[in-house]
Amino acid sequence: TITCHIQGNTGTISAPAMLVTGTAFGNNGSCTMNFGSGCEWYLTGAEGGAFDGYSFILQEGKVTNTVNAGGSTWNIYRAWYNDNVFNAGTSTVNFVGSSTIMGSGTQSFNDVSISGTLTAYSGNMNIAGDFTNIGTFIHNSGTVTFNGTGTSNITGATTFNYLTCTTSGKTLAFGTTSTQTIGTFIVTGVSGNLVNIQSTSSGAQGTINATNSSVSYAAVKDSYNAGSTITPTYSTNLGNNNTPAGWDFGSSTIVWDGSNSSAWSTAANWNIGAVPSVYDNISIPDASTTEHGLVLETSPTINDITIDADGVVDGADQTLTVTGNWVNNGSFVCSTGTVAFAGTTTISGSNATTFNNVNIEGVMTGHAVKMNVIGDWMVGAGGTFYHNSGTILFKAVDLADDTRSIQ
């Protein structure tokens, strides 16, 4: 245990484990300091000299001043002043007094916990780990960027000015017992490596209240947005979100690109690099623009499906379940499969669709002109069909062996 002012000069200081209770952490030389997970700092007092009143100081102008925090814990009762390099590692910084983040260095942290009052940096502040607030956070018109790999749990009622995440594959998990109020919410992933927006408890919603937003290449589930509607692009709806008032995925259509194979369940075959969920809308483009056409090898469920002009979908022997609308401007090869309509559906498009088996468990409004059925037609106990003044043409592949069922 060391009880003193810690002052780094030229050289290297390494401490795998120690307990420090002192007035301040400072430096006035070109020094690298390495700390292990056994180091815990309690910095409560005032630094003398030019930085009077600051608890953590990396002095300006010392280009090699570096603190490698490792897995250490820092308990800050007063200010945090960083002009040089603080490598956060897996450390935790607890702001337990009345603190302000200042300095010209990059302000980067791993885990941040607030039980006192923290005035944030007026520029950008990076957090790679968790953000826990049971005190007061003053955003100071700054930006909080969640970076680093893995999950950041964001808990405790907080008002952010800008909250951003542009680290592909990152997970933002919002607490379920408080609201994160966000002036501007910016999330940007990449195809094949989406940013995950979810709650800290699967099946329970985490609440945000966003005024302005830009969300793209994200996978969203268990999220309740009480603010202005967020309209993600190139994103997937994984369910239990307050749609469409809080999250409107209507303009976020997942497009088949067939870059890897003809298989539905291969993520690389879709433009966002993720397989559509049961809540998503999909679009099948002109077959001449894709390397492979879509042939169902599994029985998926989707919301809306749009087959573009010269687009082709082969249903093979699978069951495709649709809970939204069916728009066919191209070609649906029904093969020996089934299309089940389990939501509220309107059949439309410039081309008449030929189905094999049709199973209606929801509400279907038929095509205003014509649709063809070569297999069974079944309207379940909870199903409803509206003819829409159109024609259903039952076409037998082999009239001599026509054993179809119409129920």
Side-chain angles (χ1 to χ4, degrees), residues 106-130:
T106 300
Q107 309 298 331
S108 294
F109 302 88
N110 182 49
D111 292 340
V112 170
S113 176
I114 304 167
S115 57
T117 298
L118 174 63
T119 299
Y121 189 56
S122 59
N124 182 68
M125 169 175 147
N126 297 317
I127 299 177
D130 296 338

Side-chain angles (χ1 to χ4, degrees), residues 6 63 87 107 110 117 137 178 186 242 248 281 304 320 327 396:
I6 303 301
V63 294
N87 292 322
Q107 309 298 331
N110 182 49
T117 298
F137 177 79
S178 58
I186 299 175
N242 67 320
D248 186 355
N281 305 321
D304 294 347
L320 173 62
V327 181

Side-chain angles (χ1 to χ4, degrees), residues 336-406:
T336 60
T338 297
V339 178
F341 296 97
T344 300
T345 302
T346 297
I347 307 293
S348 63
S350 59
N351 292 341
T353 301
T354 297
F355 298 99
N356 182 46
N357 299 323
V358 173
N359 185 0
I360 304 172
E361 297 294 340
V363 177
M364 180 211 273
T365 299
H367 197 284
V369 180
K370 183 180 72 171
M371 55 188 189
N372 306 311
V373 178
I374 63 174
D376 296 338
W377 172 276
M378 178 176 289
V379 179
T384 301
F385 173 71
Y386 295 107
H387 58 68
N388 197 23
S389 300
T391 298
I392 301 176
L393 179 60
F394 288 92
K395 301 173 64 177
V397 175
D398 184 352
L399 290 174
D401 187 29
D402 189 356
T403 58
R404 289 172 297 172
S405 173
I406 301 174

Side-chain angles (χ1 to χ4, degrees), residues 292-311:
H292 300 90
L294 173 58
V295 180
L296 296 186
E297 88 295 355
T298 188
S299 293
T301 298
I302 53 165
N303 188 43
D304 294 347
I305 177 171
T306 299
I307 306 173
D308 293 341
D310 297 317

